[in-house]
Every structure is written in C-alpha cells, then in structure tokens.
Amino acid sequence: MEQTLILLKPDALQRAIVGEIVTRFERVGLKIVAAKVIKPTQEQYYHHYETIGKMISRRGQEVFDVTLRFMQEGPVLAMVLEGIEAVSLVRKMIGTTEPKSAQPGTIRGDFSHISFSYANKFGISIPNLIHASGSEEEAKQEIAHWFEPNEIFEYSTVHDKFTQGKP
Ligand code: ADP
C-alpha cells in the first residue's frame, strides 16, 4: 500500500482547523500510520524543501527564504497517510499551490484564498495550510526524513474491506 507524507503547516495549527483537515483524509478511507507535532529546525526544513524538493531552482531563493521563515513560526503536524495511490490522491485533495486558483472542495481552496501576486507584493510565503509529497520518490525520501521506522504503524481499519478489497 502506498504511503505519503503531509505536514499541516503553522497556519493550520494556529487557526485550529487541524481536525477539519484530518477528517477529510479519514473520510476517504486513508489510514493515519504515523503522526507527531514537531517544531523543525531550519536545517530540517532545508533538507525537506531543497535537498528533496529542489525548491530554490523551482521557485527562487527569495520564496525559499520566506517560506522557511514562515514554517518556523510555529509547530507543524507531520503525518504519514496510507492508501491506494495515496500520493496523487492527497495532492488532488489539497489543491494547487496558489489558494486563489485551488478548486473549491480542495483543502487549500476551501480554507484559504491568498494569491501569488499578493504574496509576492508583500514578500511573504503563501500560507496554504498543508504540504504533501509530490511524487512516490519524494514521499519515500520525506517519510524517511521526518519519521523513524518504529514511529510508523501497521493496523487494520473498518475501511480496509471496502477501500482495499481486503477480506
Ligand atoms: P507545493 O507546496 O504546492 O508543493 P512548492 O513545493 O512549489 O509547492 O512550494 C512550497 C511552498 O512554498 C508552497 O506550498 C507555498 O507555501 C510556498 N510558495 C511557493 N511559491 C510561492 C510564491 N510564489 N510566493 C510565496 N510563497 C510560495
């Protein structure tokens, strides 16, 4: 079964909408196999966003710097979610990077509305509530970066029979 990594960002915790967001993942039958609240260091975020995510070449140094600053404004909730094609499913559920263009029904589209141009005008990172792995390879690297193997659990849920065709 496929696993993906999510981080509920400082804005999600400070707005106290963690429950509403996590409920969406439970509702589609995704399984929470790891979870912890953490306050990562700049070095840990560097590894996450640049070493794994290659963010500087994709978004530029300035966006990278403001995003690292934003991510350190408070703790985040790190989770590993498991399910069928979980990586692409969770990306679909969170919506596009820019909340203004994220579809209604997605997490970013339903809980935020800031635009790229507004963020760039004020030199701020886009508080879009959640990070999710962009590919299966990225998911493997991100899970290994944020979790020890003994923090990730295997168990059955009532969904398994219906979502995974298990007896
Ligand atoms: P995603 O989180 O959708 O995978 P990226 O990996 O490209 O997107 O960017 C990481 C994070 O950096 C985004 O989620 C957002 O918080 C922030 N960000 C990206 N591009 C911009 C931008 N142009 N202006 C401000 N913040 C940005």
Side-chain angles (χ1 to χ4, degrees):
M1 203 48 55
E2 197 168 286
Q3 295 182 340
T4 191
L5 185 283
I6 64 166
L7 295 177
L8 296 195
K9 297 185 180 184
D11 51 331
L13 273 71
Q14 288 172 34
R15 290 174 59 188
I17 52 174
V18 167
E20 289 198 61
I21 295 171
V22 173
T23 292
R24 291 177 174 224
F25 296 124
E26 291 186 314
R27 209 165 55 189
V28 298
L30 283 163
K31 196 183 292 185
I32 298 165
V33 294
K36 59 184 174 187
V37 173
I38 48 176
K39 191 151 187 298
T41 61
Q42 184 159 339
E43 290 68 36
Q44 286 173 308
Y45 276 131
Y46 187 93
H47 188 84
H48 172 83
Y49 274 125
E50 177 53 17
T51 311
I52 300 173
K54 304 285 174 269
M55 191 176 157
I56 297 174
S57 50
R58 290 188 299 106
R59 298 287 190 190
Q61 185 71 48
E62 204 177 319
V63 168
F64 178 78
D65 290 345
V66 291
T67 298
L68 250 58
R69 215 171 306 139
F70 160 61
M71 292 300 290
Q72 289 181 281
E73 280 177 19
V76 297
L77 174 62
M79 278 188 160
V80 180
L81 299 175
E82 186 178 278
I84 297 163
E85 291 158 37
V87 173
S88 53
L89 170 67
V90 170
R91 286 295 289 199
K92 182 189 76 171
M93 290 177 71
I94 75 170
T96 54
T97 306
E98 183 190 40
K100 187 192 167 197
S101 43
Q103 291 295 313
T106 65
I107 291 163
R108 287 166 170 174
D110 281 354
F111 292 100
S112 53
H113 73 277
I114 191 173
S115 66
F116 276 137
S117 64
Y118 184 91
N120 295 349
K121 189 166 145 199
F122 292 98
I124 57 169
S125 180
I126 290 188
N128 55 9
L129 302 159
I130 180 165
H131 163 85
S133 307
S135 67
E136 287 174 56
E137 183 47 41
E138 235 176 59
K140 285 197 181 78
Q141 292 181 44
E142 291 178 357
I143 290 167
H145 175 51
W146 292 113
F147 287 93
E148 298 296 330
N150 67 1
E151 294 177 311
I152 304 171
F153 297 90
E154 259 182 59
Y155 63 97
S156 303
T157 71
V158 292
H159 289 293
D160 293 353
K161 177 178 174 194
F162 304 103
T163 56
Q164 302 175 14
K166 288 194 174 161

